[in-house]
């Protein structure tokens, strides 16, 4: 596991605090780092406190097994979870106010493991502003393609990628772009991550039998212009979303698929008719997240003697790019790994007339991908290399974040 920035819990003896103070302290520190998750994991003779920061798990501290158990009980009590139930996975939530007045929404889960209950807390900062489309990290062409999709009055836009790849962030950026008061916008989420003024947000409630299909059918009766579906998980949601897109609504949805073309196959495997899918699709955005290099400490490496390294990226490079690549440097105590943020790596596949024909004919996703590339789509390999050539990230980070099969390195 990676080391955290200096100054975080290194000298703190958590076992000397009562459980409530210890929990407050680790939440404060996780929020101060901008961590997305906080973990309390029991081990054989201790408990490990760690966070996920910029996608990497970092150990904050270790404490005694007994203190770890007390902290787990305290967290469950705060979230109104059953503290006596230790044999089943449980979920809860709590709105926590930090010392600086900010509110953090904690989504809490517990699960029994060999040495005790494992606790996970997802931290959602209520005060954080969602990113704009310009801040997602798309190339100029990708950005223009997405703007073109968003200008359509109806159709389906899919955002795909693994868990933690920034899909929800991209969806919220799209909503913010459209949320100008001229459209009636609904979201269907599980859970609602950020409140957006002017958008009608609906939350799935499985305990009361309200799932994505139920809410989607209800929303369609509310005369919406734009609908965001947090995730397409089943055939009913997939088919209803396609029908909504075909009947005059602009629909966004996330889906788990490794690349843009595979999202179409995923929809077909959920029972959507190829004809209806091809007529409704506007495009697919597939994405991964890479850490961005700290601009103050990054180290330059001359690659001018290897002129073919970025040969096929010349149309997207500025005059001074492609002769130097950068690696992570050391020296900044707040960014000990040499990375200071994250940016998206994208495949943006716009659905052209020829791609519609490929979908309608049920041809393999490989045919679709090749056609999209011939029409100018940057696949993950070139999209990731572009970030390297521009000095945004390092080759090591690209190899960590993007599977080698999509970088053309496993041939």
């Amino acid at each position: 596991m990676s080391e955290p920035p200096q100054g975080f819990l290194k000298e703190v003896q958590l076992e000397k605090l009562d459980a409530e103070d210890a929990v407050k302290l680790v939440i404060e520190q996780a929020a101060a780092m901008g961590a997305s998750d906080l973990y309390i994991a029991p081990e054989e003779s201790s408990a490990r406190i760690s966070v996920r920061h910029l996608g990497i798990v970092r150990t904050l501290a270790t404490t005694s097994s007994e203190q770890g158990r007390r902290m787990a009980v305290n967290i469950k009590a705060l979230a109104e979870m059953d503290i006596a139930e230790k044999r089943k996975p449980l979920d809860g939530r709590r709105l926590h106010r930090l010392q600086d007045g900010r509110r953090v929404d904690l989504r809490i889960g517990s699960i029994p493991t060999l040495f005790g209950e494992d606790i996970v807390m997802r931290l959602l900062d209520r005060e954080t502003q969602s990113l704009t489309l310009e801040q997602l990290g798309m190339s100029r062409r990708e950005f223009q393609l997405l703007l073109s999709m968003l200008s359509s009055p109806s159709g389906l836009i899919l955002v795909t990628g693994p868990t933690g790849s920034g899909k929800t962030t991209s969806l919220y950026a799209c909503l913010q772009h459209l949320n100008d008061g001229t459209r009636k916008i609904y979201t269907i989420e599980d859970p609602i991550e950020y409140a957006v003024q002017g958008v009608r947000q609906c939350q799935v409630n499985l305990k009361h039998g309200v799932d994505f299909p139920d809410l989607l059918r209800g929303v369609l009766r509310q005369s919406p212009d734009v609908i965001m579906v947090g995730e397409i998980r089943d055939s009913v949601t997939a088919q209803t979303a396609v029908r909504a897109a075909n009947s005059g609504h602009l629909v966004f949805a996330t889906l788990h698929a490794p690349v843009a073309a595979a999202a179409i196959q995923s929809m077909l495997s959920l029972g959507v008719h190829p004809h209806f899918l091809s007529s409704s699709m506007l495009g697919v955005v597939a994405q991964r997240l890479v850490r961005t290099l700290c601009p103050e400490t990054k180290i330059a490496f001359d690659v001018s003697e290897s002129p073919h390294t970025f040969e096929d990226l010349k149309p997207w490079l500025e005059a001074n790019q492609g002769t130097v690549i950068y690696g992570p440097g050391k020296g900044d105590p707040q960014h000990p790994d040499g990375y200071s943020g994250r940016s998206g790596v994208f495949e943006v596949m716009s659905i052209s007339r020829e791609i519609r024909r490929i979908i309608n004919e049920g041809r393999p996703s490989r045919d679709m991908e090749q056609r999209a590339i011939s029409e100018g789509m940057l696949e993950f390999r070139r999209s990731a290399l572009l970030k390297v050539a521009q000095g945004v990230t390092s080759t090591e980070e690209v190899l960590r974040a993007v599977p080698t099969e999509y970088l053309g390195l496993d041939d």
Side-chain angles (χ1 to χ4, degrees), residues 111-124:
I111 190 170
T113 66
L114 178 61
F115 299 115
E117 284 187 285
D118 188 87
I119 301 290
V120 173
M121 284 190 278
R122 168 65 58 89
L123 283 71
L124 300 171

Side-chain angles (χ1 to χ4, degrees), residues 41-275:
E43 299 180 343
E44 186 171 10
S45 57
S46 63
R48 183 182 297 271
I49 316 298
S50 55
V51 294
R52 186 175 295 277
H53 177 250
L54 299 182
I56 304 294
V57 176
R58 305 175 183 275
T59 298
L60 288 185
T62 57
T63 189
S64 65
S65 297
E66 180 57 33
Q67 179 69 322
R69 283 191 289 270
R70 288 195 294 263
M71 291 174 69
V73 170
N74 181 264
I75 291 167
K76 289 173 67 176
L78 290 175
E80 299 182 351
M81 299 159 68
D82 185 356
I83 62 173
E85 180 57 74
K86 300 180 180 179
R87 297 170 297 177
K88 296 179 181 178
L90 298 174
D91 294 300
R93 62 180 296 179
R94 175 179 174 80
L95 189 60
H96 182 84
R97 189 171 292 278
L98 300 171
Q99 290 180 358
D100 61 8
R102 286 185 298 146
R103 295 180 302 163
V104 177
D105 199 350
L106 304 176
R107 309 297 167 89
I108 301 164
S110 70
I111 190 170
T113 66
L114 178 61
F115 299 115
E117 284 187 285
D118 188 87
I119 301 290
V120 173
M121 284 190 278
R122 168 65 58 89
L123 283 71
L124 300 171
D125 190 339
R126 286 288 186 94
E127 315 301 327
T128 299
Q129 297 295 317
S130 60
L131 298 182
T132 64
L133 291 177
E134 292 83 357
Q135 294 171 316
L136 295 179
M138 290 183 171
S139 67
R140 288 192 301 273
R141 185 177 187 279
E142 290 167 336
F143 180 71
Q144 292 300 324
L145 283 175
L146 182 56
L147 284 182
S148 177
M149 296 178 202
L150 295 176
S151 68
S152 177
S154 64
L156 177 62
I157 301 172
L158 295 175
V159 181
T160 77
T163 300
S165 60
K167 299 187 296 296
T168 301
T169 298
S170 294
L171 286 179
Y172 273 97
C174 291
L175 287 182
Q176 292 283 24
H177 177 77
L178 295 170
N179 186 25
D180 59 3
T182 65
R183 303 170 180 86
K184 195 176 182 186
I185 303 175
Y186 282 84
T187 71
I188 302 170
E189 304 174 66
D190 182 23
I192 296 171
E193 296 204 9
Y194 301 104
V196 182
Q197 187 173 359
V199 175
R200 297 153 177 86
Q201 296 174 268
C202 310
Q203 182 162 309
V204 168
N205 191 334
L206 296 179
K207 291 182 178 178
H208 292 87
V210 182
D211 206 345
F212 280 104
D214 307 299
L215 282 174
L216 183 52
R217 285 190 291 264
V219 163
L220 287 171
R221 293 192 288 269
Q222 300 301 114
S223 185
D225 296 301
V226 179
I227 305 170
M228 184 189 94
V229 181
E231 185 179 347
I232 292 179
R233 300 175 177 174
D234 54 70
S235 60
V236 176
T237 306
Q239 293 174 33
T240 306
V242 168
R243 283 198 297 271
N246 270 316
S247 60
H249 305 89
L250 183 60
V251 181
F252 302 91
T254 69
L255 189 71
H256 286 289
V259 293
I264 304 298
Q265 296 300 324
S266 295
M267 291 292 286
L268 294 174
S269 70
L270 288 171
V272 177
H273 193 282
H275 171 72

